[in-house]
Amino acid sequence: MVSWQRFQSVLGKPYLPPLFFFSGVTYDTLVLTRIDRLRDNLLLLAYLSLLGFLIVLTGRLGTQEATVDDLPPDAPFFMKWVVQAKPYAPMAIQFLLGSLFSAYAIFYSKSATFAGTAVFFCVLVAFLVANEFLRSRLSNVQLLVSLYALVCFAFFTFFLPVMTGWMNAAIFLSGAVVTVLVVLRVVQLIYWNNSDRTSREAMLAGAPAVALVGLLVGFYFLNWIPPVPLSLKHGGIYHEVKRSGDRFELSFEKSWYEVWKASDTVIPADDPVYCFTAVFAPVALKTTIYHHWYYRPDPGQPFTDADRIPLKISGGREGGYRAYTFKEGLDPGDWRVDVEAEDGRVIGRMAVKVLDKTAVGSLSLTTVVY
């Protein structure tokens, strides 16, 4: 008894939540390496299943404190265990939500760009941090169901493309539908044969979650959701790209002190311009990406469409599927290449300034192998 009380007192220490938070994020960063790894996806699915069970349990038992003495004498042992464990349900829910948000933040960060798709990633990070302060509110059924809708939606967004090998609007909307069905099932289990709950409460519990899924679908059509499970492993602008066997030789200008430089930022107008990318995709996924070239003559003007070149890719390679496009005789000005998924979402972005030959100094070419 003394050891159990000591254990409970340790759990109440104020420094433990931040310690668990940073330890969990560090652990997930090291362990979650590939979005198509079956073991990782099964672990996340197990987290979602257990989280759903705890939300149903919390919703059915309510906020009233119950003891084993309140149960009938013939109550099964399982019910006695549930009543004894109920005070720790919010802590377990917080742990599972933190684990899921942490995993999603890692996966989505690899596909997010500041071209707009980072919006949903920022939402996940915000909930990851906010989760550390939500324990006192994790008995609110509406909040729990809405959070469950968010973590289910984030999971099915990449899980279905990984499992089916397809990535398009239909698969994305299928994930949204599955999320709604799962959430409504959780709500049904909370209020099924529950005399303490009314049908109006059931509608109020499920409505915010369904509205949230609808809002996230809107995010998709606004290109605010990263194109998971695709991610840009490498991308850059180069003077020349040559393929030698299974390797690509990438040539760019570099001064001796520019140790950080990995691609060209300025290219003379007379030289060809190559855009090289390596895009990771799951093993079974075959899709089309695009190198979308944009141009503006002056910094004060908006970019205009110049060309959109399709590239068919297949998944499985750890370093990403490698491909390149090139252009010659570019006009002086700012050029950029958006690497886009088939549905238009941006996977990555590279930029280069094209200048007149006289305005560009002569530097030695450096070649790297990818």
Side-chain angles (χ1 to χ4, degrees), residues 116-117 153 168-174 176 213-226 343-345:
T117 58
F153 180 89
N168 50 44
I171 293 297
F172 178 86
L173 292 176
S174 297
V213 173
L215 177 65
L216 295 175
V217 170
F219 277 16
Y220 171 81
F221 288 105
L222 290 172
N223 290 335
W224 288 356
I225 295 182
D343 56 14
R345 287 183 289 172

Side-chain angles (χ1 to χ4, degrees), residues 92-363:
I93 290 173
Q94 187 182 33
F95 168 80
L96 292 171
L97 285 173
S99 298
L100 289 167
F101 282 128
S102 175
Y104 298 157
I106 292 169
F107 285 153
Y108 279 82
S109 67
K110 298 177 181 179
S111 299
T113 68
F114 290 103
T117 58
V119 172
F120 184 67
F121 167 70
C122 291
V123 170
L124 292 176
V125 173
F127 274 102
L128 171 62
V129 176
N131 178 65
E132 299 304 307
F133 308 96
L134 286 176
R135 184 181 303 178
S136 61
R137 297 182 178 272
L138 290 181
S139 58
N140 184 299
V141 175
Q142 283 184 322
L143 176 62
L144 286 176
V145 173
S146 297
L147 289 174
Y148 192 61
L150 179 58
V151 293
C152 285
F153 180 89
F155 176 75
F156 289 118
T157 295
F158 66 80
F159 182 70
L160 290 185
V162 167
M163 291 292 101
T164 63
W166 299 333
M167 185 177 174
N168 50 44
I171 293 297
F172 178 86
L173 292 176
S174 297
V177 171
V178 172
T179 298
V180 170
L181 293 176
V182 170
V183 169
L184 292 181
R185 180 58 175 167
V186 167
V187 173
Q188 182 187 33
L189 290 174
I190 291 174
Y191 294 94
W192 177 65
N193 283 345
N194 193 339
S195 58
D196 295 332
R197 303 290 191 178
T198 65
S199 57
R200 183 175 182 275
E201 287 180 312
M203 293 180 60
L204 291 176
V210 175
L212 176 61
V213 173
L215 177 65
L216 295 175
V217 170
F219 277 16
Y220 171 81
F221 288 105
L222 290 172
N223 290 335
W224 288 356
I225 295 182
V228 289
L230 301 179
S231 62
L232 185 67
K233 288 288 189 177
H234 181 79
I237 303 295
Y238 298 94
H239 270 69
E240 187 177 27
V241 175
K242 289 183 179 179
R243 181 162 188 170
S244 177
D246 190 42
R247 304 185 307 170
F248 284 84
E249 297 177 356
L250 316 175
S251 300
F252 61 100
E253 290 186 339
K254 177 180 177 180
S255 299
W256 64 268
Y257 57 85
E258 295 177 309
V259 294
W260 64 89
K261 193 174 182 181
S263 64
D264 281 304
T265 55
V266 176
I267 286 184
D270 296 335
D271 291 1
V273 179
Y274 290 78
C275 176
F276 174 86
T277 58
V279 177
F280 172 82
V283 174
L285 186 63
K286 298 183 186 300
T287 186
T288 301
I289 64 168
Y290 295 84
H291 282 185
H292 199 160
W293 293 72
Y294 290 90
Y295 168 69
R296 65 179 181 186
D298 298 305
Q301 298 179 350
F303 279 96
T304 58
D305 177 82
D307 200 0
R308 193 169 188 251
I309 305 172
L311 297 166
K312 292 188 177 296
I313 69 170
S314 56
R317 187 176 183 273
E318 181 71 30
Y321 186 94
R322 298 162 297 174
Y324 68 91
T325 58
F326 74 96
K327 286 189 166 297
E328 295 181 291
L330 296 185
D331 294 331
D334 296 325
W335 287 82
R336 112 179 168 222
V337 182
D338 286 358
V339 186
E340 298 175 350
E342 198 165 5
D343 56 14
R345 287 183 289 172
V346 178
I347 308 170
R349 173 175 291 174
M350 287 76 65
V352 66
K353 184 178 288 291
V354 176
L355 300 176
D356 290 328
K357 192 78 172 180
T358 56
V360 181
S362 178
L363 296 175

Side-chain angles (χ1 to χ4, degrees), residues 16-33:
L16 280 183
L19 177 63
F20 287 154
F21 172 78
F22 289 109
S23 299
V25 171
T26 303
Y27 174 80
D28 289 340
T29 303
L30 296 175
V31 173
L32 299 175
T33 55

